[in-house]
Amino acid sequence: MKLLITGSRRATAQDYAGLVAAIQKYAPQASEILHGGAMGADQLAEQYARAQGLPVTVIRPDYTQWPAKVAPLKRNHQLVALADGVIALYKGKRKGGTAYTARLAQDAGKLLVELHDSGEYTPGEQLSMPI
């Protein structure tokens, strides 16, 4: 299973245990980790992949092909298309690129786990749990 881990750039080492618990519970068959190469949650994804000896695919925004506001969205489409499941890690409100990516995954019918520290989430999500 190719697992996309996306989330807040404000995610820190304190969020790692919650991420690992979610992966073990909802995607224990993960065989590859995908992420967007940013700080925060993406670095936690990298850390997990290394600890488990899993291959990693990193897709960064292509600012040479797309305008600055479009490039990250195009990258997120690519990542979701490759992924079999998505874990989205929020720090605060459900918004921005993480929420956009979660909606893409949900619309595509892919496994979606949304981790949050605020206890707030939109009803109708596939899975949601505190970090």
Side-chain angles (χ1 to χ4, degrees):
M1 166 190 225
K2 293 181 180 181
L3 180 65
L4 168 58
I5 298 173
T6 185
S8 173
R9 289 190 172 114
R10 293 186 297 132
T12 66
Q14 287 87 6
D15 301 310
Y16 184 70
L19 174 64
V20 171
I23 295 168
Q24 290 173 345
K25 183 172 184 175
Y26 298 109
Q29 71 278 32
S31 58
E32 182 177 350
I33 301 298
L34 313 172
H35 68 79
M39 299 300 295
D42 293 0
Q43 295 308 305
L44 297 179
E46 185 75 27
Q47 180 181 346
Y48 177 81
R50 287 184 187 188
Q52 300 301 312
L54 297 176
V56 178
T57 297
V58 179
I59 300 177
R60 291 182 171 81
D62 185 351
Y63 293 106
T64 61
Q65 183 175 0
W66 304 103
K69 290 190 177 189
V70 175
L73 302 178
K74 293 288 189 179
R75 179 267 320 269
N76 293 347
H77 278 269
Q78 290 177 292
L79 285 165
V80 170
L82 289 173
D84 299 306
V86 176
I87 293 183
L89 193 158
Y90 298 96
K91 297 294 285 184
K93 294 185 179 183
R94 185 179 189 267
K95 64 178 187 173
T98 304
Y100 180 82
T101 303
R103 280 191 302 275
L104 290 174
Q106 193 168 26
D107 290 348
K110 300 194 178 194
L111 168 72
L112 172 61
V113 177
E114 296 188 273
L115 308 177
H116 50 90
D117 62 353
S118 66
E120 299 174 13
Y121 60 94
T122 305
E125 294 164 14
Q126 293 176 333
L127 299 167
S128 185
M129 62 184 279
I131 52 174

